[in-house]
Amino acid sequence: MAKTTTDTPHGAPSSAAPAGGDAATDTDTGLWLRRFRQSAPDAPRLVCFPHAGGAATWFMPVAEAMAPRADVLAVQYPGRQDRRSEPPVDDVLVLAARITRVLTELEDRPTLFFGHSMGAVVAFEVARALAARGKRGPEHLYASGRRAPHSYRDDRVHERDDEGVLEEVRSLDGTDSRLLHDDEVVRMVLPAIRADYRAVETYRCPPGEPLECPVTVLTGDDDPKTTIEEAEAWREWTTGGFRMEVFRGGHFYLTEHQAGVLRIVGEGLDGLDRAS
């Protein structure tokens, strides 16, 4: 999991699509999902959900490491990279609903969800939405770098001026800070970053049943966005088993602990193999 900025133009190509949330756009798997490596025909699937300001390419190292044992699909949110002509979505539940419409078309194999930061709650809400539709959801949810869905803070980064938003991004060290001093890059990435922060900071978890699948939480021991207690509160959102792994590091601990994170996810894949 490498540091990448939101709009550097190296994402996988896809066809142009109209802005908005029409049905045709929202069932276009090629628009929403990126496959960077091919997998074995019967390999289980790992769907990865990026953090605020992130893009599908952030998970390219995961695809490289997991191929061919897993079909790694990374979600590409609107408003970045090859989708930068579309308006970003500034509501977690709206974003989750749109992704759900795509994933209902992909029930051909067992699937794991992995989400980091904002991606963790998006993945959670997609899992809930699939269950509500009676569709096949994830066999396991990996929630990284994010407090439990019902745990709120009065964060208002999305209300800051441009420099204030960029200062927050730099402080978390998830994006190459050199790129954020390039005016052209900043103009491209800032709308999506601000919209993502608005989405996650205004998110309020609707009441509902916990997930039936197991939940594994991964967090850094020095994450300014998530305390150990806030991370452990994910326990309340599953009836299928709970596990928490704490790594040394901050919000983007996983850039330094990629091998450990992949080992844990790999154990989930092994579990699917044993169950099949």
Side-chain angles (χ1 to χ4, degrees), residues 155-200:
D155 292 333
R156 302 188 183 188
V157 174
H158 71 279
E159 296 180 356
R160 298 181 186 177
D161 62 16
D162 290 353
E163 184 54 37
V165 173
L166 294 174
E167 181 182 0
E168 171 74 8
V169 174
R170 295 185 192 108
S171 72
L172 295 177
D173 200 28
T175 300
D176 190 333
S177 60
R178 293 170 301 176
L179 293 173
L180 295 181
H181 290 288
D182 184 311
D183 289 343
E184 183 177 357
V185 170
V186 168
R187 282 196 299 272
M188 287 193 296
V189 304
L190 198 56
I193 293 174
R194 186 181 297 280
D196 288 354
Y197 270 92
R198 182 181 298 112
V200 75

Side-chain angles (χ1 to χ4, degrees), residues 113-132:
F113 283 2
F114 183 100
H116 180 66
S117 194
M118 182 183 83
V121 290
V122 175
F124 169 74
E125 290 295 352
V126 171
R128 296 175 90 189
L130 289 169

Side-chain angles (χ1 to χ4, degrees), residues 1 106 112 128 153 162 175 223 239-240 267:
M1 296 165 216
L106 300 176
L112 310 178
R128 296 175 90 189
R153 296 185 185 182
D162 290 353
T175 300
D223 186 346
T239 61
E267 291 170 1

